[in-house]
Amino acid sequence: MLLKILLVCSLVSSVVLSVEVKESLGPCNFPAIYNFGDSNSDTGGISASFVPIPAPYGQGFFHKPSGRDSDGRLIIDFIAEKVNLPYLSAYLNSLGTDYRHGANFATGGSTIRKQNETIFQYGISPFSLDIQIIQFDQFKARTEQLYKEAKTALERSKLPVPEEFSKALYTFDIGQNDLSVGFRKMSFDEMHAAMPDIVNQLASAVKNIYERGGRTFWIHNTSPVGCMPVNLFYKHNTPPGYLDKAGCVKDQNEMALFFNNQLKDRVIKLRTELPEAAITYVDVYAAKYGLISNAKNEGFEDPLKICCGYHVNDTHIWCGNIGTENGKEVFGGACEKPSASISWDGVHYAEAANHWVSNHILNGSFTDPPTPITHSCYKH
């Protein structure tokens, strides 16, 4: 027993010492962020490529639609704020963009594995992770060419400095839609069997960037997908044991945890395979589930209640859309107090929840190694 206590104390001391040493080295001073992901971090890609995301999306912070699936900022926006960089322009957005300090390749509906269906069927983006990496490769190559050809400082002012790609922060938040597709098309046994390939494809994306000079990686695991209110929109009676104590779909969350365990193991292997990389695994699941299961004490309303959209009985009018009920026109509008909401539209988080989660992950409380994002460039 004494030995066990000593081992625990030693482990805690080493973790604290590790964080203290890193913080004593000073912040990383990232010149740019390059993000890859889905709607959890899309700042305008899918909105520019297909149908623009309508009001009341964006009404809170931006006071207009901003290409984000929320009433305001996403976790990637809070990451940018934390490392003192501007909000990321979407790579696919052709107007009002500035790529001097990075670019965002994420699009709503993106998956890690390429899917054989169109966005018009189930909302799955054609820009899967492998395509996002191809876009990054092209972006980097063209940047270097244009920077070399630029004749004035003004021409170069909206381009990344080529030498800074190696010093940038590379963030990943993707995988949730792979689970959504799996729940729709596959048995749980088939999903379990597919997980190694899914996480290997994410690892391949990280390796690709490493081979092109990237060294600092911040990788989010997937959210508690079973806690999305949309899961219960079409299910009026749930059998005993279907929901957990927080009201979330139990087997969906178990699958998310299985994915996360596989991802964490793969990240640990990546650290060996990429010896010069600093790779941080971020347990977004634990942070979000912690908020959902303790919503009232954290100042939020029922986590399974949505803020935007009209979903009553069998009438479903999504946020920002117009529909009819009993012959009357109904708008899927926003609630009066989004700041007390966790779910914005049944699938995506409200800004207040994104802010809460960001505050709890960016300081290193839910990361492996336990490092604040401002010091994530230092190897553990």
Side-chain angles (χ1 to χ4, degrees):
M1 183 65 184
L2 179 60
L3 179 61
K4 196 178 282 187
I5 292 169
L6 288 171
L7 284 170
V8 170
C9 290
S10 172
L11 179 64
V12 170
S13 298
S14 66
V15 167
V16 171
L17 183 63
S18 168
V19 173
E20 286 177 350
V21 167
K22 288 182 183 182
E23 292 197 346
S24 71
L25 294 170
C28 297
N29 195 25
F30 296 113
I33 302 170
Y34 295 97
N35 181 66
F36 306 85
D38 52 32
S39 59
N40 288 307
S41 61
D42 180 4
T43 56
I46 211 70
S47 192
S49 304
F50 293 95
V51 179
I53 296 172
Y57 285 90
Q59 69 171 21
F61 183 79
F62 300 99
H63 308 298
K64 60 183 179 182
S66 65
R68 293 161 172 80
D69 278 311
S70 182
D71 59 315
R73 290 164 291 182
L74 309 176
I75 292 173
I76 189 64
D77 296 310
F78 292 111
I79 287 175
E81 289 181 10
K82 191 72 175 176
V83 298
N84 298 311
L85 290 175
Y87 300 135
L88 293 183
S89 291
Y91 170 76
L92 294 168
N93 201 350
S94 57
L95 296 170
T97 52
D98 185 343
Y99 301 114
R100 171 65 188 85
H101 295 287
N104 193 352
F105 299 89
T107 62
S110 286
T111 51
I112 295 172
R113 289 211 297 189
K114 198 175 285 172
Q115 304 298 322
N116 189 25
E117 58 186 54
T118 78
I119 194 167
F120 304 105
Q121 291 173 290
Y122 297 101
I124 295 300
S125 168
F127 306 109
S128 48
L129 183 57
D130 59 334
I131 300 299
Q132 293 181 27
I133 294 298
I134 289 168
Q135 291 171 337
F136 169 77
D137 288 346
Q138 182 183 193
F139 177 88
K140 185 173 184 290
R142 291 192 66 207
T143 289
E144 290 167 352
Q145 181 187 348
L146 291 169
Y147 200 88
K148 197 183 294 181
E149 293 171 357
K151 294 178 174 61
T152 67
L154 182 63
E155 285 181 69
R156 287 189 289 267
S157 65
K158 289 196 174 183
L159 291 169
V161 177
E163 293 76 27
E164 290 181 348
F165 278 96
S166 62
K167 300 170 188 170
L169 172 64
Y170 293 88
T171 54
F172 289 80
D173 191 331
I174 193 165
Q176 183 172 317
N177 292 314
D178 292 85
L179 296 184
S180 297
V181 170
F183 294 140
R184 184 160 37 84
K185 289 183 167 182
M186 303 163 75
S187 70
F188 275 35
D189 284 345
E190 288 171 331
M191 288 182 72
H192 280 119
M195 290 301 171
D197 179 57
I198 294 172
V199 298
N200 276 331
Q201 288 196 34
L202 197 154
S204 294
V206 173
K207 284 182 177 180
N208 183 294
I209 292 169
Y210 181 85
E211 286 163 7
R212 281 150 186 75
R215 290 296 179 264
T216 304
F217 301 91
W218 181 267
I219 302 173
H220 289 188
N221 68 11
T222 203
S223 300
V225 290
C227 297
M228 295 191 296
V230 66
N231 292 320
L232 302 178
F233 282 178
Y234 307 95
K235 207 169 185 74
H236 301 309
N237 297 302
T238 56
Y242 185 78
L243 304 176
D244 68 11
K245 63 184 188 315
C248 305
V249 179
K250 196 187 248 180
D251 56 8
Q252 289 191 6
N253 276 354
E254 286 172 355
M255 189 61 70
L257 287 170
F258 183 79
F259 169 85
N260 291 341
N261 288 334
Q262 296 267 313
L263 177 62
K264 188 172 185 180
D265 288 346
R266 192 66 190 87
V267 165
I268 290 167
K269 287 179 185 170
L270 269 177
R271 290 185 184 130
T272 304
E273 294 164 2
L274 312 178
E276 293 176 26
I279 309 174
T280 305
Y281 171 86
V282 187
D283 196 352
V284 172
Y285 181 105
K288 287 183 175 178
Y289 192 80
L291 171 60
I292 289 163
S293 58
N294 199 34
K296 188 179 260 187
N297 291 337
E298 295 298 334
F300 289 87
E301 295 174 354
D302 179 356
L304 298 177
K305 181 182 171 188
I306 66 161
C307 178
C308 188
Y310 183 85
H311 301 275
V312 178
N313 298 322
D314 292 317
T315 302
H316 298 285
I317 302 164
W318 289 87
C319 181
N321 291 331
I322 296 171
T324 58
E325 183 183 43
N326 299 325
K328 291 182 180 177
E329 194 174 86
V330 177
F331 177 62
C335 62
E336 287 184 12
K337 197 179 176 187
S339 61
S341 296
I342 290 177
S343 180
W344 168 245
D345 60 6
V347 176
H348 307 101
Y349 287 73
E351 181 190 80
N354 286 328
H355 197 183
W356 188 97
V357 172
S358 298
N359 284 341
H360 287 75
I361 62 172
L362 300 185
N363 64 4
S365 295
F366 287 88
T367 66
D368 174 44
T371 307
I373 195 165
T374 50
H375 293 71
S376 57
C377 62
Y378 299 112
K379 274 178 60 62
H380 186 58

